[in-house]
Short mmCIF file of all heavy atoms in Angstrom, two decimals:
data_model
loop_
_atom_site.label_atom_id
_atom_site.label_comp_id
_atom_site.label_asym_id
_atom_site.label_seq_id
_atom_site.Cartn_x
_atom_site.Cartn_y
_atom_site.Cartn_z
N MET A 1 50.29 18.29 19.57
CA MET A 1 51.34 17.99 20.69
C MET A 1 50.81 16.76 21.41
O MET A 1 49.69 16.48 21.65
CB MET A 1 51.42 19.16 21.61
CG MET A 1 52.38 19.06 22.63
SD MET A 1 52.69 20.48 23.62
CE MET A 1 53.59 21.37 22.55
N SER A 2 51.76 15.92 21.76
CA SER A 2 51.39 14.72 22.41
C SER A 2 50.96 14.89 23.99
O SER A 2 51.43 15.96 24.45
CB SER A 2 52.60 13.66 22.44
OG SER A 2 53.60 14.19 23.38
N SER A 3 50.28 14.03 24.45
CA SER A 3 49.77 14.14 25.87
C SER A 3 50.90 14.15 26.81
O SER A 3 50.93 14.84 27.68
CB SER A 3 48.80 12.88 26.07
OG SER A 3 47.65 12.94 25.29
N GLN A 4 52.04 13.34 26.38
CA GLN A 4 53.18 13.21 27.25
C GLN A 4 53.93 14.62 27.36
O GLN A 4 54.24 15.00 28.52
CB GLN A 4 54.12 12.12 26.83
CG GLN A 4 53.65 10.70 27.04
CD GLN A 4 53.19 10.45 28.42
OE1 GLN A 4 53.98 10.74 29.35
NE2 GLN A 4 52.02 9.89 28.56
N ASN A 5 53.86 15.32 26.33
CA ASN A 5 54.56 16.62 26.28
C ASN A 5 53.56 17.61 27.16
O ASN A 5 54.22 18.44 27.79
CB ASN A 5 54.76 17.23 24.84
CG ASN A 5 55.91 16.67 24.20
OD1 ASN A 5 56.82 16.11 24.77
ND2 ASN A 5 55.87 16.67 22.87
N LEU A 6 52.42 17.56 26.91
CA LEU A 6 51.45 18.40 27.69
C LEU A 6 51.65 18.10 29.20
O LEU A 6 51.62 19.09 30.03
CB LEU A 6 50.07 18.28 27.32
CG LEU A 6 49.69 18.63 25.87
CD1 LEU A 6 48.23 18.32 25.63
CD2 LEU A 6 49.84 20.20 25.69
N ILE A 7 51.56 16.85 29.62
CA ILE A 7 51.72 16.40 31.00
C ILE A 7 53.10 17.02 31.51
O ILE A 7 53.19 17.54 32.65
CB ILE A 7 51.73 14.88 31.12
CG1 ILE A 7 50.29 14.54 30.78
CG2 ILE A 7 52.14 14.54 32.50
CD1 ILE A 7 50.21 13.03 30.53
N LYS A 8 54.09 16.77 30.77
CA LYS A 8 55.47 17.29 31.24
C LYS A 8 55.40 18.83 31.51
O LYS A 8 56.06 19.35 32.48
CB LYS A 8 56.53 16.87 30.19
CG LYS A 8 57.89 17.37 30.56
CD LYS A 8 58.91 17.00 29.41
CE LYS A 8 60.37 17.51 29.77
NZ LYS A 8 61.18 17.43 28.68
N MET A 9 54.94 19.45 30.45
CA MET A 9 54.95 21.01 30.68
C MET A 9 54.13 21.40 31.77
O MET A 9 54.48 22.44 32.57
CB MET A 9 54.35 21.56 29.27
CG MET A 9 55.35 21.50 28.12
SD MET A 9 54.90 22.27 26.54
CE MET A 9 53.21 22.65 26.59
N ALA A 10 52.92 20.83 31.88
CA ALA A 10 51.96 21.23 33.07
C ALA A 10 52.76 20.93 34.40
O ALA A 10 52.61 21.77 35.29
CB ALA A 10 50.79 20.42 33.02
N ASN A 11 53.36 19.77 34.52
CA ASN A 11 53.93 19.48 35.77
C ASN A 11 55.31 20.45 36.03
O ASN A 11 55.54 20.67 37.20
CB ASN A 11 54.47 17.94 35.73
CG ASN A 11 53.34 17.03 35.89
OD1 ASN A 11 52.22 17.41 36.45
ND2 ASN A 11 53.51 15.80 35.57
N GLU A 12 55.95 20.93 35.00
CA GLU A 12 57.02 21.79 35.15
C GLU A 12 56.42 23.18 35.58
O GLU A 12 57.04 23.86 36.43
CB GLU A 12 57.89 22.10 33.87
CG GLU A 12 58.68 20.85 33.53
CD GLU A 12 59.25 20.89 32.09
OE1 GLU A 12 59.02 21.86 31.33
OE2 GLU A 12 60.12 20.03 31.79
N ILE A 13 55.19 23.55 35.06
CA ILE A 13 54.64 24.76 35.66
C ILE A 13 54.38 24.60 37.02
O ILE A 13 54.50 25.55 37.94
CB ILE A 13 53.40 25.11 34.71
CG1 ILE A 13 53.78 25.48 33.30
CG2 ILE A 13 52.65 26.19 35.28
CD1 ILE A 13 52.65 25.38 32.35
N ALA A 14 53.81 23.44 37.36
CA ALA A 14 53.35 23.25 38.81
C ALA A 14 54.62 23.17 39.72
O ALA A 14 54.56 23.80 40.86
CB ALA A 14 52.67 21.93 38.97
N ARG A 15 55.75 22.68 39.27
CA ARG A 15 56.92 22.62 40.06
C ARG A 15 57.35 24.14 40.48
O ARG A 15 57.85 24.54 41.50
CB ARG A 15 57.98 21.71 39.42
CG ARG A 15 57.75 20.30 39.76
CD ARG A 15 59.03 19.55 39.40
NE ARG A 15 59.39 19.47 38.02
CZ ARG A 15 58.65 18.73 37.12
NH1 ARG A 15 57.73 17.89 37.51
NH2 ARG A 15 58.99 18.68 35.76
N TYR A 16 57.25 25.02 39.47
CA TYR A 16 57.65 26.31 39.61
C TYR A 16 56.71 27.11 40.66
O TYR A 16 57.12 27.58 41.67
CB TYR A 16 57.58 27.11 38.25
CG TYR A 16 57.62 28.65 38.45
CD1 TYR A 16 58.97 29.19 38.57
CD2 TYR A 16 56.59 29.42 38.47
CE1 TYR A 16 59.14 30.64 38.69
CE2 TYR A 16 56.68 30.81 38.68
CZ TYR A 16 57.96 31.39 38.72
OH TYR A 16 58.11 32.67 38.98
N PHE A 17 55.48 26.81 40.45
CA PHE A 17 54.35 27.53 41.34
C PHE A 17 54.37 26.87 42.74
O PHE A 17 53.73 27.42 43.66
CB PHE A 17 53.07 27.55 40.69
CG PHE A 17 52.86 28.57 39.72
CD1 PHE A 17 53.07 28.43 38.27
CD2 PHE A 17 52.68 29.96 40.09
CE1 PHE A 17 52.94 29.41 37.41
CE2 PHE A 17 52.57 31.09 39.22
CZ PHE A 17 52.73 30.75 37.85
N ALA A 18 54.91 25.63 42.89
CA ALA A 18 54.92 25.06 44.12
C ALA A 18 55.69 25.57 45.16
O ALA A 18 55.48 25.39 46.40
CB ALA A 18 55.47 23.45 43.94
N THR A 19 56.57 26.56 44.74
CA THR A 19 57.38 27.35 45.63
C THR A 19 56.52 28.36 46.47
O THR A 19 56.92 29.00 47.35
CB THR A 19 58.57 28.01 45.02
OG1 THR A 19 58.05 28.90 44.03
CG2 THR A 19 59.47 26.96 44.40
N GLU A 20 55.23 28.74 45.93
CA GLU A 20 54.39 29.64 46.44
C GLU A 20 53.80 29.13 47.72
O GLU A 20 53.14 28.08 47.74
CB GLU A 20 53.29 30.02 45.43
CG GLU A 20 52.10 30.91 46.00
CD GLU A 20 52.57 32.19 46.65
OE1 GLU A 20 53.20 32.94 45.93
OE2 GLU A 20 52.21 32.51 47.81
N PRO A 21 53.97 29.82 48.80
CA PRO A 21 53.43 29.21 50.17
C PRO A 21 51.90 29.07 50.19
O PRO A 21 51.35 28.28 50.91
CB PRO A 21 53.82 30.26 51.33
CG PRO A 21 55.03 31.04 50.60
CD PRO A 21 54.75 30.99 49.13
N ASP A 22 51.23 30.09 49.45
CA ASP A 22 49.73 30.06 49.48
C ASP A 22 49.29 29.17 48.23
O ASP A 22 49.48 29.52 47.09
CB ASP A 22 49.22 31.46 49.28
CG ASP A 22 47.77 31.66 49.29
OD1 ASP A 22 47.04 30.67 48.93
OD2 ASP A 22 47.22 32.70 49.67
N GLN A 23 48.64 27.98 48.65
CA GLN A 23 48.32 27.04 47.63
C GLN A 23 47.27 27.73 46.67
O GLN A 23 47.33 27.42 45.47
CB GLN A 23 47.78 25.78 48.33
CG GLN A 23 47.46 24.75 47.32
CD GLN A 23 47.17 23.40 47.68
OE1 GLN A 23 47.32 23.18 48.97
NE2 GLN A 23 46.62 22.48 46.97
N ALA A 24 46.42 28.50 47.19
CA ALA A 24 45.36 29.07 46.30
C ALA A 24 46.01 29.99 45.22
O ALA A 24 45.68 29.94 44.03
CB ALA A 24 44.33 29.88 47.07
N LEU A 25 47.12 30.68 45.64
CA LEU A 25 47.79 31.53 44.67
C LEU A 25 48.44 30.73 43.68
O LEU A 25 48.57 31.02 42.51
CB LEU A 25 48.78 32.51 45.36
CG LEU A 25 48.06 33.70 46.16
CD1 LEU A 25 49.24 34.50 46.81
CD2 LEU A 25 47.33 34.57 45.22
N ALA A 26 49.09 29.66 44.17
CA ALA A 26 49.75 28.57 43.17
C ALA A 26 48.88 28.16 42.13
O ALA A 26 49.14 28.01 41.04
CB ALA A 26 50.46 27.58 44.10
N VAL A 27 47.60 27.65 42.70
CA VAL A 27 46.71 27.04 41.75
C VAL A 27 46.23 28.17 40.70
O VAL A 27 46.15 27.84 39.50
CB VAL A 27 45.46 26.46 42.50
CG1 VAL A 27 44.30 26.11 41.60
CG2 VAL A 27 45.95 25.21 43.20
N ASN A 28 45.85 29.32 41.23
CA ASN A 28 45.50 30.47 40.29
C ASN A 28 46.55 30.71 39.36
O ASN A 28 46.42 31.01 38.08
CB ASN A 28 45.09 31.58 41.05
CG ASN A 28 43.65 31.38 41.76
OD1 ASN A 28 42.90 30.57 41.30
ND2 ASN A 28 43.51 32.14 42.83
N GLY A 29 47.82 30.79 39.77
CA GLY A 29 49.02 31.01 38.89
C GLY A 29 49.12 29.95 37.68
O GLY A 29 49.37 30.46 36.62
N ILE A 30 48.93 28.72 38.14
CA ILE A 30 48.98 27.63 37.11
C ILE A 30 47.84 27.76 36.16
O ILE A 30 47.96 27.76 34.92
CB ILE A 30 48.91 26.37 37.85
CG1 ILE A 30 50.20 26.03 38.65
CG2 ILE A 30 48.79 25.13 36.77
CD1 ILE A 30 50.07 24.88 39.64
N ARG A 31 46.68 28.08 36.66
CA ARG A 31 45.47 28.16 35.82
C ARG A 31 45.73 29.40 34.86
O ARG A 31 45.49 29.27 33.63
CB ARG A 31 44.27 28.41 36.55
CG ARG A 31 43.10 28.39 35.74
CD ARG A 31 41.71 28.78 36.59
NE ARG A 31 41.54 27.79 37.73
CZ ARG A 31 41.67 28.08 38.91
NH1 ARG A 31 42.20 29.30 39.33
NH2 ARG A 31 41.54 27.25 39.93
N GLN A 32 46.16 30.54 35.38
CA GLN A 32 46.32 31.74 34.47
C GLN A 32 47.53 31.48 33.52
O GLN A 32 47.23 31.87 32.42
CB GLN A 32 46.81 32.84 35.41
CG GLN A 32 46.81 34.13 34.59
CD GLN A 32 45.42 34.45 33.89
OE1 GLN A 32 44.40 34.40 34.52
NE2 GLN A 32 45.54 34.81 32.63
N HIS A 33 48.53 30.79 33.97
CA HIS A 33 49.71 30.50 32.98
C HIS A 33 49.11 29.70 31.76
O HIS A 33 49.44 30.11 30.57
CB HIS A 33 50.79 29.86 33.71
CG HIS A 33 52.00 29.54 32.71
ND1 HIS A 33 52.98 30.53 32.55
CD2 HIS A 33 52.29 28.60 31.94
CE1 HIS A 33 53.87 30.01 31.67
NE2 HIS A 33 53.34 28.71 31.31
N ILE A 34 48.43 28.62 32.01
CA ILE A 34 47.92 27.75 31.01
C ILE A 34 46.93 28.51 30.16
O ILE A 34 46.90 28.34 28.81
CB ILE A 34 47.29 26.42 31.60
CG1 ILE A 34 48.39 25.57 32.18
CG2 ILE A 34 46.43 25.65 30.60
CD1 ILE A 34 47.94 24.39 33.08
N LYS A 35 46.04 29.32 30.81
CA LYS A 35 45.13 30.03 30.05
C LYS A 35 45.90 31.06 29.11
O LYS A 35 45.47 31.29 27.81
CB LYS A 35 44.27 30.81 30.91
CG LYS A 35 43.15 31.60 30.18
CD LYS A 35 42.20 32.24 31.31
CE LYS A 35 41.22 33.10 30.44
NZ LYS A 35 40.41 33.96 31.36
N SER A 36 46.90 31.59 29.53
CA SER A 36 47.53 32.75 28.78
C SER A 36 48.50 32.19 27.68
O SER A 36 48.68 32.77 26.69
CB SER A 36 48.38 33.62 29.83
OG SER A 36 47.61 34.30 30.69
N PHE A 37 49.16 31.13 27.99
CA PHE A 37 50.28 30.64 27.10
C PHE A 37 49.93 29.40 26.23
O PHE A 37 50.76 29.06 25.39
CB PHE A 37 51.52 30.53 28.00
CG PHE A 37 51.96 31.84 28.54
CD1 PHE A 37 51.89 32.14 29.89
CD2 PHE A 37 52.44 32.79 27.68
CE1 PHE A 37 52.13 33.37 30.37
CE2 PHE A 37 52.78 34.08 28.10
CZ PHE A 37 52.76 34.22 29.57
N TRP A 38 48.85 28.68 26.70
CA TRP A 38 48.61 27.43 25.98
C TRP A 38 47.41 27.70 25.03
O TRP A 38 46.51 28.51 25.18
CB TRP A 38 48.10 26.31 26.89
CG TRP A 38 49.10 25.73 27.71
CD1 TRP A 38 50.38 26.32 28.17
CD2 TRP A 38 49.26 24.44 28.27
NE1 TRP A 38 51.10 25.53 28.94
CE2 TRP A 38 50.50 24.34 28.97
CE3 TRP A 38 48.40 23.33 28.17
CZ2 TRP A 38 50.81 23.17 29.60
CZ3 TRP A 38 48.79 22.20 28.80
CH2 TRP A 38 49.98 22.04 29.46
N THR A 39 47.41 27.05 23.81
CA THR A 39 46.33 27.27 22.90
C THR A 39 45.05 26.50 23.39
O THR A 39 45.23 25.68 24.36
CB THR A 39 46.66 26.57 21.52
OG1 THR A 39 46.81 25.17 21.68
CG2 THR A 39 47.95 27.09 20.96
N PRO A 40 43.87 26.94 22.94
CA PRO A 40 42.75 26.21 23.44
C PRO A 40 42.70 24.82 23.27
O PRO A 40 42.24 23.97 24.05
CB PRO A 40 41.59 26.84 22.62
CG PRO A 40 42.09 28.26 22.25
CD PRO A 40 43.52 28.10 22.10
N GLY A 41 43.33 24.32 22.04
CA GLY A 41 43.56 22.85 21.92
C GLY A 41 44.33 22.17 22.88
O GLY A 41 43.96 20.95 23.29
N MET A 42 45.52 22.84 23.27
CA MET A 42 46.26 22.27 24.24
C MET A 42 45.54 22.21 25.61
O MET A 42 45.65 21.08 26.32
CB MET A 42 47.59 22.99 24.49
CG MET A 42 48.48 23.13 23.35
SD MET A 42 49.79 24.31 23.34
CE MET A 42 50.72 23.82 24.74
N ARG A 43 44.75 23.11 25.94
CA ARG A 43 44.00 23.04 27.19
C ARG A 43 42.91 21.94 27.12
O ARG A 43 42.77 21.24 28.16
CB ARG A 43 43.29 24.33 27.59
CG ARG A 43 44.43 25.53 27.72
CD ARG A 43 43.78 26.78 28.15
NE ARG A 43 42.80 27.45 27.32
CZ ARG A 43 42.92 28.34 26.53
NH1 ARG A 43 44.09 28.83 26.49
NH2 ARG A 43 41.97 28.81 25.83
N ARG A 44 42.26 21.79 25.93
CA ARG A 44 41.28 20.80 25.85
C ARG A 44 41.82 19.36 25.83
O ARG A 44 41.30 18.52 26.59
CB ARG A 44 40.51 20.95 24.53
CG ARG A 44 39.37 21.94 24.56
CD ARG A 44 38.53 21.91 23.37
NE ARG A 44 39.28 22.00 22.08
CZ ARG A 44 39.65 23.08 21.40
NH1 ARG A 44 39.21 24.21 21.95
NH2 ARG A 44 40.32 23.07 20.31
N ASP A 45 43.03 19.27 25.18
CA ASP A 45 43.62 17.87 25.22
C ASP A 45 44.23 17.52 26.62
O ASP A 45 43.86 16.28 27.00
CB ASP A 45 44.80 17.98 24.21
CG ASP A 45 44.33 18.03 22.76
OD1 ASP A 45 43.25 17.92 22.43
OD2 ASP A 45 45.35 18.26 22.09
N LEU A 46 44.69 18.33 27.35
CA LEU A 46 45.09 18.20 28.75
C LEU A 46 43.97 17.70 29.53
O LEU A 46 43.96 16.78 30.34
CB LEU A 46 45.91 19.19 29.40
CG LEU A 46 46.38 18.87 30.84
CD1 LEU A 46 47.39 17.76 30.75
CD2 LEU A 46 47.10 20.23 31.41
N GLY A 47 42.84 18.48 29.51
CA GLY A 47 41.66 18.28 30.28
C GLY A 47 41.05 16.99 30.04
O GLY A 47 40.58 16.12 30.72
N ALA A 48 40.95 16.64 28.57
CA ALA A 48 40.37 15.37 28.13
C ALA A 48 41.18 14.15 28.64
O ALA A 48 40.73 13.13 28.99
CB ALA A 48 40.23 15.36 26.68
N TRP A 49 42.53 14.23 28.51
CA TRP A 49 43.46 13.27 28.91
C TRP A 49 43.24 13.04 30.45
O TRP A 49 43.17 11.91 30.77
CB TRP A 49 44.91 13.62 28.68
CG TRP A 49 45.81 12.61 28.92
CD1 TRP A 49 46.26 11.54 28.13
CD2 TRP A 49 46.57 12.37 30.22
NE1 TRP A 49 47.12 10.71 28.90
CE2 TRP A 49 47.27 11.19 30.06
CE3 TRP A 49 46.48 13.08 31.51
CZ2 TRP A 49 48.05 10.71 31.15
CZ3 TRP A 49 47.11 12.50 32.56
CH2 TRP A 49 48.01 11.41 32.31
N GLN A 50 43.21 14.12 31.22
CA GLN A 50 42.99 13.96 32.66
C GLN A 50 41.71 13.25 32.98
O GLN A 50 41.71 12.42 34.00
CB GLN A 50 43.23 15.28 33.26
CG GLN A 50 43.34 15.19 34.80
CD GLN A 50 42.08 14.95 35.53
OE1 GLN A 50 41.05 15.59 35.19
NE2 GLN A 50 42.12 14.17 36.63
N GLU A 51 40.76 13.51 32.30
CA GLU A 51 39.48 12.90 32.66
C GLU A 51 39.44 11.33 32.39
O GLU A 51 38.91 10.59 33.05
CB GLU A 51 38.29 13.47 31.72
CG GLU A 51 37.89 14.77 32.21
CD GLU A 51 36.74 15.44 31.36
OE1 GLU A 51 36.07 14.56 30.62
OE2 GLU A 51 36.53 16.54 31.56
N LYS A 52 40.25 10.95 31.33
CA LYS A 52 40.46 9.50 30.98
C LYS A 52 41.24 8.89 31.82
O LYS A 52 41.30 7.57 31.98
CB LYS A 52 40.93 9.39 29.49
CG LYS A 52 39.85 9.74 28.46
CD LYS A 52 40.42 9.60 27.00
CE LYS A 52 39.60 10.17 25.99
NZ LYS A 52 39.89 9.98 24.61
N HIS A 53 42.30 9.60 32.41
CA HIS A 53 43.25 9.06 33.40
C HIS A 53 43.33 9.66 34.76
O HIS A 53 44.36 10.38 35.04
CB HIS A 53 44.66 9.06 32.74
CG HIS A 53 44.75 8.63 31.32
ND1 HIS A 53 44.40 9.26 30.26
CD2 HIS A 53 44.93 7.30 30.82
CE1 HIS A 53 44.50 8.44 29.08
NE2 HIS A 53 44.88 7.24 29.48
N PRO A 54 42.19 9.58 35.55
CA PRO A 54 42.13 10.36 36.72
C PRO A 54 43.24 10.05 37.74
O PRO A 54 43.51 10.89 38.62
CB PRO A 54 40.77 10.08 37.28
CG PRO A 54 40.42 8.77 36.60
CD PRO A 54 41.13 8.68 35.24
N ASP A 55 43.85 8.80 37.71
CA ASP A 55 44.86 8.50 38.71
C ASP A 55 46.17 8.61 38.09
O ASP A 55 47.26 7.96 38.68
CB ASP A 55 44.59 7.00 39.23
CG ASP A 55 43.29 6.99 39.86
OD1 ASP A 55 42.85 7.94 40.56
OD2 ASP A 55 42.62 5.93 39.71
N ALA A 56 46.40 9.44 37.12
CA ALA A 56 47.70 9.49 36.49
C ALA A 56 48.72 10.41 37.05
O ALA A 56 48.53 10.93 38.20
CB ALA A 56 47.49 9.81 35.00
N VAL A 57 49.77 10.98 36.36
CA VAL A 57 50.83 11.49 36.80
C VAL A 57 50.88 13.04 36.88
O VAL A 57 51.87 13.67 36.95
CB VAL A 57 52.02 11.14 36.04
CG1 VAL A 57 52.33 9.60 36.19
CG2 VAL A 57 51.89 11.49 34.53
N LEU A 58 49.74 13.71 36.88
CA LEU A 58 49.69 15.15 36.99
C LEU A 58 49.92 15.60 38.41
O LEU A 58 49.45 14.94 39.35
CB LEU A 58 48.38 15.66 36.53
CG LEU A 58 48.16 15.73 35.01
CD1 LEU A 58 46.68 16.21 34.69
CD2 LEU A 58 49.06 16.58 34.26
N HIS A 59 50.70 16.59 38.51
CA HIS A 59 51.11 17.23 39.79
C HIS A 59 49.72 17.58 40.45
O HIS A 59 48.76 18.09 39.79
CB HIS A 59 51.85 18.46 39.60
CG HIS A 59 52.50 19.01 40.74
ND1 HIS A 59 51.90 19.64 41.76
CD2 HIS A 59 53.79 18.93 41.19
CE1 HIS A 59 52.57 20.16 42.63
NE2 HIS A 59 53.81 19.63 42.46
N PRO A 60 49.52 17.50 41.75
CA PRO A 60 48.44 17.89 42.42
C PRO A 60 47.82 19.31 42.24
O PRO A 60 46.78 19.59 42.22
CB PRO A 60 48.75 17.56 43.95
CG PRO A 60 49.94 16.57 43.92
CD PRO A 60 50.50 16.80 42.69
N LEU A 61 48.89 20.23 42.08
CA LEU A 61 48.43 21.61 41.88
C LEU A 61 47.85 21.77 40.46
O LEU A 61 46.94 22.53 40.27
CB LEU A 61 49.66 22.59 41.96
CG LEU A 61 50.25 22.73 43.43
CD1 LEU A 61 51.56 23.51 43.36
CD2 LEU A 61 49.20 23.35 44.38
N VAL A 62 48.41 20.95 39.47
CA VAL A 62 47.70 20.98 38.18
C VAL A 62 46.35 20.49 38.28
O VAL A 62 45.33 21.01 37.76
CB VAL A 62 48.58 20.14 37.11
CG1 VAL A 62 47.84 20.17 35.81
CG2 VAL A 62 49.92 20.89 37.06
N LEU A 63 46.15 19.34 39.00
CA LEU A 63 44.77 18.83 39.13
C LEU A 63 43.96 19.82 39.78
O LEU A 63 42.81 19.89 39.34
CB LEU A 63 44.94 17.51 39.95
CG LEU A 63 45.66 16.35 39.42
CD1 LEU A 63 45.70 15.11 40.35
CD2 LEU A 63 44.89 15.90 38.11
N ALA A 64 44.20 20.48 40.78
CA ALA A 64 43.47 21.49 41.40
C ALA A 64 43.22 22.62 40.46
O ALA A 64 42.07 23.10 40.43
CB ALA A 64 44.21 22.09 42.64
N ALA A 65 44.14 23.00 39.64
CA ALA A 65 43.89 24.14 38.61
C ALA A 65 42.79 23.61 37.62
O ALA A 65 42.06 24.50 37.18
CB ALA A 65 45.25 24.49 38.02
N LEU A 66 42.87 22.38 37.22
CA LEU A 66 41.92 21.92 36.31
C LEU A 66 40.48 21.68 36.90
O LEU A 66 39.46 21.84 36.16
CB LEU A 66 42.48 20.62 35.69
CG LEU A 66 43.68 20.58 34.77
CD1 LEU A 66 44.08 19.17 34.48
CD2 LEU A 66 43.51 21.40 33.55
N LYS A 67 40.42 21.44 38.11
CA LYS A 67 39.23 21.18 38.81
C LYS A 67 38.44 22.41 39.25
O LYS A 67 37.11 22.53 39.11
CB LYS A 67 39.41 20.21 40.00
CG LYS A 67 39.63 18.88 39.68
CD LYS A 67 39.91 18.04 40.82
CE LYS A 67 40.35 16.62 40.41
NZ LYS A 67 40.64 15.85 41.71
N GLU A 68 39.21 23.42 39.78
CA GLU A 68 38.50 24.61 40.33
C GLU A 68 38.07 25.52 39.22
O GLU A 68 38.80 25.65 38.28
CB GLU A 68 39.47 25.30 41.23
CG GLU A 68 39.77 24.57 42.44
CD GLU A 68 40.66 25.24 43.39
OE1 GLU A 68 40.87 26.48 43.39
OE2 GLU A 68 41.22 24.71 44.34
N PRO A 69 36.98 26.09 39.38
CA PRO A 69 36.42 27.14 38.40
C PRO A 69 37.38 28.30 38.38
O PRO A 69 37.95 28.63 39.47
CB PRO A 69 35.11 27.40 38.70
CG PRO A 69 34.84 26.89 40.10
CD PRO A 69 35.98 25.94 40.47
N GLU A 70 37.56 29.02 37.27
CA GLU A 70 38.36 30.21 37.24
C GLU A 70 37.78 31.26 38.23
O GLU A 70 36.70 31.31 38.44
CB GLU A 70 38.22 30.81 35.81
CG GLU A 70 39.29 31.75 35.62
CD GLU A 70 39.31 32.22 34.13
OE1 GLU A 70 38.97 31.51 33.24
OE2 GLU A 70 39.69 33.39 33.98
N GLY A 71 38.86 31.69 39.00
CA GLY A 71 38.52 32.85 40.00
C GLY A 71 38.30 32.25 41.35
O GLY A 71 38.11 33.01 42.39
N ALA A 72 38.18 30.92 41.55
CA ALA A 72 37.95 30.40 42.74
C ALA A 72 39.26 30.49 43.66
O ALA A 72 40.28 30.27 43.11
CB ALA A 72 37.53 28.86 42.64
N THR A 73 39.04 30.86 44.96
CA THR A 73 40.18 30.83 45.75
C THR A 73 39.76 30.33 47.15
O THR A 73 38.62 30.19 47.52
CB THR A 73 40.77 32.32 45.99
OG1 THR A 73 39.74 33.09 46.38
CG2 THR A 73 41.40 32.75 44.72
#
């Protein structure tokens, strides 16, 4: 899957979870969704892309989900 498709999907997930008033719950929801529904390769590709393009177009909630260790609140 292309990086552009992964970015689009991740940002769509973030827009859905952005309606959650508690940012920690939103970040955890994004992280859990990606863990549950994305393949390990998709997760690796998005993380690798983000490391190469730290100032790129990922939604801030996605960036937080990628940065925070699982279970952090």
Side-chain angles (χ1 to χ4, degrees):
M1 180 170 291
S2 76
S3 296
Q4 292 304 316
N5 283 341
L6 293 174
I7 293 162
K8 180 182 175 188
M9 291 184 343
N11 285 338
E12 287 173 353
I13 295 164
R15 281 192 291 280
Y16 172 81
F17 281 100
T19 62
E20 169 59 56
D22 184 332
Q23 185 171 349
L25 286 177
V27 169
N28 285 333
I30 294 165
R31 184 183 306 107
Q32 186 59 47
H33 181 92
I34 290 173
K35 181 180 176 184
S36 296
F37 298 106
W38 288 30
T39 67
M42 292 167 68
R43 295 191 301 263
R44 279 191 306 270
D45 289 351
L46 182 64
W49 184 89
Q50 193 278 322
E51 285 182 18
K52 291 180 185 177
H53 306 91
D55 297 326
V57 294
L58 283 174
H59 191 285
L61 291 173
V62 174
L63 292 174
L66 293 175
K67 288 179 185 176
E68 292 181 17
E70 190 171 334
T73 55

